[in-house]
Amino acid sequence: MAVKEFKLEVSKRENSGKKASKQIRRAGGIPGVYYSHDSKESLLFKMEMAELRQAIKSGAQIFKVSVGGKLRDVIFKSVQYHPVTDVVQHIDLYGVNMDIAINIKVPLMIVGECVGVKEDGGVISTPLTELEISCLPSIIPQSIEVDITDLHLGDSLQAENINLGDGIELITSPESTIASVTHAAVEVE
């Protein structure tokens, strides 16, 4: 399976701090920081909002970025959004070695219609929205699908019950509950 890659255009920025970041955002850019697996130094960069939209649309997990004149493989380590407008405020890029496994959080995608809700009148609870896994950058899944169809009233599904596939190791606690079906709370008059 070929991993999707996308070349990101970023430019170095000199100034750090709130004021500098605000100016970048006002000009339609996004401030960011680049870290690498093999260096303690971080580099400040900025990128255009349109560039970020294209990157997200590409569906890629690994991005190529020119850092210090060298093309490097990076992943989005974290993306911070404005609490009200949901506009991206800041990005952390993390340089990866394609031959070394990394720990990363991947979103869970709950699928199926649960028997315990449909037939037993229960309520489904899904406390986890993501799983932390360890794998090579080239096999990072876009999301992890969790089928809840066979869950009956009183059943629960733990992280350890999810089939992650070859080369992917679970980092999240195996006992963590992903989904459970409980009785609907009854209001007492």
Side-chain angles (χ1 to χ4, degrees), residues 10 14 75 107 112 115 145 148 160 180 185:
V10 301
E14 300 304 324
I75 59 170
V115 172
E145 203 169 272
I148 58 166
E160 64 190 349
S180 62

Side-chain angles (χ1 to χ4, degrees), residues 119-140:
E119 295 174 10
D120 308 331
V123 176
I124 186 94
S125 167
T126 53
L128 285 186
T129 58
E130 56 189 16
L131 278 186
E132 188 172 3
I133 58 169
S134 174
C135 66
L136 290 174
S138 58
I139 60 170
I140 297 170

Side-chain angles (χ1 to χ4, degrees), residues 138-152:
S138 58
I139 60 170
I140 297 170
Q142 200 88 39
S143 61
I144 296 169
E145 203 169 272
V146 178
D147 189 350
I148 58 166
T149 308
D150 298 331
L151 287 184
H152 289 271

